[in-house]
Amino acid sequence: MKNVMKTATLESKFPLLAVENGCIISKDADITMAYRVELPELFTLTRAEYESMHSTWAKAVKVLPNYSIVHKQDFFIEEGYKPDICKEDLSFLSRSFERHFNERPYLQHTCYLFLTKTTKEHSRTTSSFNALTRGFIIPKEMQDKETVTRFMECCGQFERIVNDSGLLRIIRLTDEDIIGSKNSAGIIEKYFSMSQEDATSLQDLSLGAGEMKVGDNYLCLHTLSDPEDLPSNVSTDCRYERLSTDRSDCRLSFAAPIGILLTCNHVVNQYLFIDDSAEILRKFEQTARNMHSLSRYSRSNQINREWIEEYLNEAHSKGLTSIRAHCNVMAWSDDREKLKRIKNDVGSQLALMEAKPRHNTVDVPTLFWAAIPGNAGDFPSEESFHTFIEQALCLFIGETSYKDSLSPFGIRMVDRLTGKPVHLDISDLPMKNGTITNRNKFILGPSGSGKSFFTNHMVRQYYEQGTHVLLVDTGNSYQGLCNLIHARTHGEDGIYFTYEENNPIAFNPFYVEDGIFDIEKKESIKTLILTLWKRDDEPPTRAEEVALSNAVNLFLEKIRRDSGLKPSFNTFYEFIRDEYQNILEKKRTREKDFDVWGFLNVLEPYYKGGEYDYLLNSDKQLDLQSKRFIVFELDNIKDNKVLFPIVTIIIMETFINKMRKLKGIRKMILLEEAWKAISKEGMAEYLKYLFKTVRKFFGEAVVVTQEVEDIISSPIVKGTIINNSDCKILLDQRKYMNKFDEIQTLLGLTDKERAQILSINMSNNPSRKYKEVWIGLGGTQSAVYATEVSLEEYYTYTTEETEKLELMRLTEKLGGNIELAIKQLAESKREK
């Protein structure tokens, strides 16, 4: 049978002539500058920011000369997450995390911008006379040099205006980006393969009036090219109801429904054709006069005249620029049945924009051809509609999916919309670019909000990247993780301290390894003794502070001179009793200024023979300098008003020693409810010192709390912890909705941040098990992420008593192999 189908080579129809100096030159002598566009992340902008971004685009477009075309092309490609499990240094839990997300589907968004300079004649091209319908294309001569130079200058101004906005960024593409190299595909090759991968191969194109195919993929096209199909109103942004409440607003760009929210392979092409605005308005004036003349014959002519006059009035009264615009959505699939569903999905998303979905079957090849990078001049003019720049720009998609941080250090979170892992740096990169001035973190989340899962997930990843982590806990939240680290390091790390009567935590505050007592060490000793001496509601007088400071300094000087003197609390007590009181008598210090015997009486329980004599007279030092993961579990003494604050300060002193001596090594101290003990009035200075100083030693202090009343009622938290924590992390706050105004004021949250926080867990995917968390950096950068973990991580982090006991029993049964126990539990859960 004879083949009657007409075929042609891509070479014979190819509309582009050359790529030189980053410019695409078409055979019709059109010049195109190509850019990659970086858009803000999803759910991170307010209405004001969308309006600012819209204004930026408008200012930039207005600098372009007549007969220019702005073509914005957004690729949304379905991909499956490819886990990176080949690294040798991946831990058991990191590998489990990566495997958990294997082949997780998500949309990869890539955005390009093409600025084309064409001619008046070429801008009037129709579908009956473009590169596809001509037998062959004779390359035209280049436009005059002055026109080209002027256009290049305008493109430079366009680029500066956009990049100066702070919300958008465009990066000019090089020749290699456009045409590719031996190892990577260029954007033109990627377009013809409907892919964004570097390893692409050109496929056959089947261009028909009713159907178009690229390789095995069938294309369907929806267009917004007729004024009747357009929404009655457009705006810069719209309210996303699924994440909004009556007290907060979640905003997306007006065109977001056909962007990242449309979950199929598709390309969105948005065009702005900048013709001679004055000429267009003159033609409309002529048309209006003609309509008026013919209005007696047809009521539709009269109505059309009124519409045209309204358009002209708008243009002249507000000084608007008349342009032509077009928007289309090209979606595809290799399955005809699936394509039907995709067609319906695209139509419904366009309907969400209040546009009339028009499935275009006739002009698919022509519009596909015009969307080739650099070929916007071949766009059929009959597919465009007249509007103004400001209205047309509302069809620009304004956001992208979550982006990975460029920093090598960070934690793995999950995109809340698609469930794809995201690499996030909340410490180093924000410090480097000035978003934050310290690495301290404040975490607030009620019980059951996923707080312990997030903190376990965070500290585990910090530890695996070389951080020294010290945790002070009051609920056994980190026991599983600590036991796993202990087993994997054969007891060298993962040290778990629990306060027990027969083996209490002991310490010697006067011991220093190098014998040098610096100012910080002296201050920590004074704070400790002041805590033992004074009640919370009994602040020391100035005279008492001076007397205590002198006593500590004289005793430390004596230690330095007398090598035979053993430094401990006992010897300090004896120094006060036997020597210092004589010094005070010589100075004629009055008893009301400093009562030595009253001081000694209060401190007697900590002297030998006293109830707590073991606490501050330890013979052996806590050798924790080389241990990188240490947990102090204080659940047994959390209600003991004497032991709890003292043991907490002992632990913090241990961390400060580690902080001073480990140069150039990242350190983290995380305080769960223990912060309450050291935030009381007598110890406030200690807490202030830690939060202000830890930054200088490459460290970070993290405070975790679950009671909203704690932060509202404590002036210490407000004055110290919050003001010195540039990273704030909040979990589900909906149970505090009625109190959130107080929280917002206290934490200094913006309305944008408030809206993000109140959207947490509002629209979670029922097929995935996760909890959302809001992370704010320095009041300028914030987003909501998901804490989703593998089953192996779940059993490591769980705080459910039954699950912990099940893990402990199985570990004992397997001879102490906790890793194998976790694997078996996770596998049995998967099978169920």
Side-chain angles (χ1 to χ4, degrees):
M1 184 177 176
K2 187 180 178 183
N3 187 356
V4 293
M5 291 183 67
K6 292 183 178 179
T7 60
T9 62
L10 183 61
E11 186 180 7
S12 66
K13 297 286 185 181
F14 200 59
L16 306 181
L17 178 66
V19 175
E20 294 179 6
N21 301 319
C23 295
I24 305 171
I25 302 162
S26 78
K27 290 178 180 175
D28 282 302
D30 295 340
I31 305 168
T32 301
M33 301 277 277
Y35 300 89
R36 190 174 72 254
V37 184
E38 291 183 3
L39 296 168
E41 292 180 351
L42 198 68
F43 308 129
T44 61
L45 296 187
T46 61
R47 167 172 281 178
E49 286 169 322
Y50 276 116
E51 288 174 354
S52 173
M53 187 161 63
H54 177 271
S55 174
T56 297
W57 281 126
K59 288 174 190 170
V61 170
K62 286 174 183 175
V63 304
L64 297 176
N66 287 346
Y67 306 110
S68 297
I69 304 170
V70 179
H71 175 202
K72 184 167 175 284
Q73 189 172 69
D74 293 84
F75 269 90
F76 297 91
I77 308 294
E78 282 184 329
E79 293 189 10
Y81 179 71
K82 297 178 178 63
D84 189 4
I85 55 175
C86 299
K87 290 182 182 176
E88 292 182 6
D89 59 344
L90 270 190
S91 70
F92 160 59
L93 291 182
S94 289
R95 191 168 271 109
S96 301
F97 177 86
E98 290 291 319
R99 282 190 180 131
H100 173 72
F101 292 96
N102 185 35
E103 293 301 319
R104 173 70 61 86
Y106 68 95
L107 275 186
Q108 181 68 44
H109 179 198
T110 313
C111 182
Y112 299 109
L113 184 76
F114 306 106
L115 304 179
T116 301
K117 180 70 179 78
T118 185
T119 58
K120 182 177 180 179
E121 295 74 25
H122 197 205
S123 67
R124 293 169 180 169
T125 298
T126 64
S127 55
S128 62
F129 189 75
N130 65 5
L132 275 178
T133 57
R134 283 181 274 173
F136 56 91
I137 311 170
I138 302 171
K140 291 185 180 179
E141 287 294 319
M142 202 64 169
Q143 300 168 40
D144 65 275
K145 190 176 180 182
E146 188 178 332
T147 304
V148 174
T149 305
R150 170 73 183 132
F151 175 66
M152 301 284 273
E153 288 172 355
C154 291
C155 289
Q157 292 171 23
F158 186 104
E159 188 176 345
R160 277 194 300 276
I161 291 168
V162 171
N163 289 339
D164 286 347
S165 69
L167 292 169
L168 297 158
R169 187 160 173 258
I170 59 174
I171 301 114
R172 189 173 168 190
L173 300 182
T174 63
D175 291 3
E176 190 174 298
D177 294 328
I178 297 167
I179 58 176
S181 63
K182 287 182 179 179
N183 302 318
S184 63
I187 58 168
I188 297 171
E189 186 178 337
K190 288 176 181 177
Y191 178 78
F192 278 107
S193 59
M194 303 305 279
S195 165
Q196 287 299 303
E197 292 183 2
D198 279 331
T200 62
S201 58
L202 290 179
Q203 303 172 61
D204 287 343
L205 302 178
S206 174
L207 310 179
E211 180 180 86
M212 177 174 170
K213 283 180 71 179
V214 178
D216 295 327
N217 291 313
Y218 299 92
L219 258 67
C220 73
L221 181 77
H222 287 76
T223 55
L224 291 178
S225 54
D226 192 317
E228 292 180 2
D229 300 338
L230 300 174
S232 55
N233 288 299
V234 292
S235 60
T236 57
D237 58 300
C238 60
R239 179 179 161 99
Y240 188 58
E241 293 293 343
R242 292 174 65 180
L243 294 179
S244 298
T245 69
D246 57 346
R247 293 167 181 252
S248 62
D249 243 0
C250 178
R251 312 301 296 185
L252 290 176
S253 66
F254 183 77
I258 56 173
I260 202 79
L261 299 182
L262 176 57
T263 54
C264 63
N265 285 317
H266 66 289
V267 176
V268 181
N269 291 294
Q270 301 123 336
Y271 297 89
L272 273 62
F273 302 93
I274 303 160
D275 300 324
D276 187 338
S277 180
E279 184 184 337
I280 291 172
L281 295 178
R282 280 197 301 273
K283 285 183 179 177
F284 274 125
E285 295 277 8
Q286 180 64 45
T287 306
R289 285 195 293 271
N290 293 341
M291 291 288 178
H292 179 67
S293 302
L294 299 169
S295 60
R296 71 180 68 180
Y297 303 112
S298 168
R299 185 168 292 276
S300 62
N301 288 338
Q302 185 177 344
I303 293 168
N304 285 337
R305 179 185 67 85
E306 289 172 2
W307 279 113
I308 292 170
E309 286 189 344
E310 190 173 333
Y311 181 85
L312 291 167
N313 290 339
E314 187 90 357
H316 290 299
S317 64
K318 295 182 180 178
L320 301 178
T321 305
S322 179
I323 62 165
R324 290 181 294 120
H326 171 88
C327 178
N328 67 56
V329 182
M330 284 192 289
W332 64 89
S333 174
D334 57 0
D335 182 353
R336 285 182 186 273
E337 289 302 314
K338 189 179 177 184
L339 190 68
K340 290 179 183 176
R341 181 181 61 77
I342 288 173
K343 200 181 297 179
N344 293 334
D345 287 348
V346 176
S348 63
Q349 292 299 100
L350 283 167
L352 284 178
M353 295 167 58
E354 297 183 9
K356 188 187 292 182
R358 185 178 292 274
H359 180 226
N360 195 322
T361 56
V362 177
D363 291 316
V364 181
T366 314
L367 292 175
F368 174 85
W369 208 249
I372 297 169
N375 195 39
D378 242 3
F379 187 89
S381 58
E382 76 271 15
E383 284 288 340
S384 59
F385 58 90
H386 286 280
T387 183
F388 302 118
I389 291 174
E390 287 75 12
Q391 282 79 351
L393 286 170
C394 291
L395 297 176
F396 272 26
I397 291 166
E399 58 276 300
T400 186
S401 50
Y402 284 16
K403 294 175 273 196
D404 288 329
S405 171
L406 298 174
S407 169
F409 179 84
I411 58 174
R412 301 285 273 168
M413 296 299 289
V414 175
D415 182 321
R416 71 188 302 202
L417 186 70
T418 64
K420 176 204 169 195
V422 177
H423 175 73
L424 181 66
D425 183 358
I426 54 176
S427 289
D428 289 2
L429 192 61
M431 277 281 283
K432 188 177 179 181
N433 61 28
T435 305
I436 59 176
T437 57
N438 61 63
R439 295 180 176 85
N440 300 336
K441 295 168 179 57
F442 176 73
I443 302 175
L444 173 68
S447 180
S449 62
K451 186 169 70 278
S452 64
F453 264 79
F454 172 77
T455 49
N456 266 285
H457 193 53
M458 179 178 71
V459 298
R460 191 265 296 174
Q461 294 179 83
Y462 268 66
Y463 167 77
E464 288 175 0
Q465 294 173 84
T467 306
H468 281 244
V469 180
L470 189 147
L471 304 160
V472 186
D473 188 25
T474 57
N476 292 298
S477 300
Y478 307 95
Q479 190 173 13
L481 179 58
C482 192
N483 290 345
L484 179 64
I485 291 171
H486 188 78
R488 286 189 67 85
T489 58
H490 307 291
E492 291 297 314
D493 212 339
I495 312 300
Y496 199 83
F497 288 102
T498 302
Y499 190 96
E500 296 169 351
E501 288 294 330
N502 58 349
N503 186 25
I505 298 170
F507 179 70
N508 184 350
F510 294 92
Y511 174 82
V512 285
E513 194 173 345
D514 52 11
I516 298 171
F517 293 92
D518 55 22
I519 293 172
E520 292 160 349
K521 181 65 175 174
K522 289 176 184 177
E523 287 299 320
S524 89
I525 292 171
K526 290 175 199 173
T527 304
L528 175 61
I529 294 169
L530 204 58
T531 305
L532 305 176
W533 179 25
K534 294 288 185 179
R535 291 195 301 266
D536 294 337
D537 57 353
E538 187 187 359
T541 65
R542 181 64 184 144
E544 287 174 331
E545 284 182 350
V546 170
L548 177 60
S549 181
N550 288 337
V552 170
N553 288 332
L554 288 170
F555 178 66
L556 297 179
E557 181 62 27
K558 184 177 180 182
I559 291 171
R560 192 180 65 78
R561 284 187 276 105
D562 187 355
S563 58
L565 180 67
K566 181 184 177 184
S568 69
F569 183 82
N570 285 343
T571 51
F572 173 73
Y573 185 92
E574 290 162 0
F575 169 75
I576 299 290
R577 184 190 63 194
D578 302 335
E579 298 181 39
Y580 189 58
Q581 57 120 349
N582 295 329
I583 294 170
L584 291 177
E585 284 178 12
K586 289 178 184 177
K587 286 184 176 181
R588 296 183 181 181
T589 303
R590 295 174 299 177
E591 187 176 315
K592 71 173 186 177
D593 290 334
F594 185 67
D595 182 4
V596 178
W597 299 110
F599 176 74
L600 293 171
N601 183 52
V602 173
L603 298 188
E604 193 174 354
Y606 308 97
Y607 180 60
K608 59 186 173 188
E611 185 181 0
Y612 304 112
D613 62 349
Y614 56 84
L615 260 183
L616 305 173
N617 293 290
S618 174
D619 291 330
K620 57 179 182 179
Q621 295 308 308
L622 295 174
D623 183 23
L624 300 176
Q625 193 163 318
S626 62
K627 311 300 181 189
R628 289 203 302 111
F629 197 90
I630 307 156
V631 179
F632 286 96
E633 171 52 58
L634 306 181
D635 203 43
N636 296 341
I637 58 167
K638 66 182 178 185
D639 298 320
N640 190 312
K641 291 183 179 178
V642 176
L643 287 176
F644 191 46
I646 295 168
V647 170
T648 306
I649 283 193
I650 289 169
I651 294 163
M652 292 187 66
E653 176 66 21
T654 304
F655 176 76
I656 287 172
N657 283 336
K658 187 187 278 271
M659 185 175 80
R660 288 198 203 100
K661 289 168 184 171
L662 296 173
K663 306 291 185 184
I665 297 172
R666 192 187 305 272
K667 307 155 223 37
M668 171 191 276
I669 181 167
L670 187 142
L671 305 167
E672 285 266 355
E673 300 303 311
W675 66 269
K676 292 181 197 173
I678 54 171
S679 67
K680 291 173 184 172
E681 202 164 325
M683 305 183 214
E685 292 302 318
Y686 199 90
L687 194 65
K688 286 179 185 176
Y689 163 76
L690 176 73
F691 265 78
K692 289 179 180 178
T693 309
V694 71
R695 172 186 62 83
K696 301 171 186 174
F697 296 92
F698 197 22
E700 50 195 89
V702 184
V703 157
V704 184
T705 189
Q706 66 177 17
E707 293 299 330
V708 70
E709 282 77 13
D710 292 338
I711 62 168
I712 291 173
S713 61
S714 172
I716 306 303
V717 179
K718 183 177 180 180
T720 300
I721 296 176
I722 293 173
N723 291 348
N724 289 288
S725 298
D726 280 1
C727 176
K728 295 176 179 67
I729 299 169
L730 276 73
L731 293 101
D732 200 333
Q733 301 292 313
R734 279 178 295 174
K735 65 167 66 175
Y736 298 134
M737 185 94 66
N738 295 329
K739 295 180 180 178
F740 200 77
D741 288 343
E742 295 175 78
I743 299 174
Q744 182 179 359
T745 304
L746 184 70
L747 298 182
L749 302 173
T750 63
D751 288 338
K752 172 173 109 172
E753 292 170 333
R754 174 197 178 100
Q756 289 173 336
I757 293 163
L758 294 180
S759 76
I760 289 174
N761 295 335
M762 273 194 66
S763 183
N764 286 10
N765 189 333
S767 65
R768 291 161 43 208
K769 190 173 182 181
Y770 63 97
K771 294 282 179 71
E772 291 183 337
V773 54
W774 175 84
I775 300 175
L777 297 168
T780 58
Q781 190 179 317
S782 60
V784 177
Y785 300 89
T787 307
E788 183 177 349
V789 296
S790 63
L791 281 170
E792 286 83 356
E793 289 169 292
Y794 174 84
Y795 279 109
T796 304
Y797 304 156
T798 184
T799 53
E800 288 290 328
E801 190 68 24
T802 53
E803 292 171 339
K804 287 171 75 172
L805 288 172
E806 186 181 8
L807 177 61
M808 288 167 68
R809 282 196 292 266
L810 186 56
T811 303
E812 288 176 15
K813 187 177 175 182
L814 295 169
N817 192 334
I818 187 171
E819 187 175 316
L820 183 58
I822 290 168
K823 283 179 182 175
Q824 288 191 7
L825 278 176
E827 203 55 50
S828 65
K829 181 87 169 177
R830 282 192 197 97
E831 289 172 4
K832 287 178 184 177

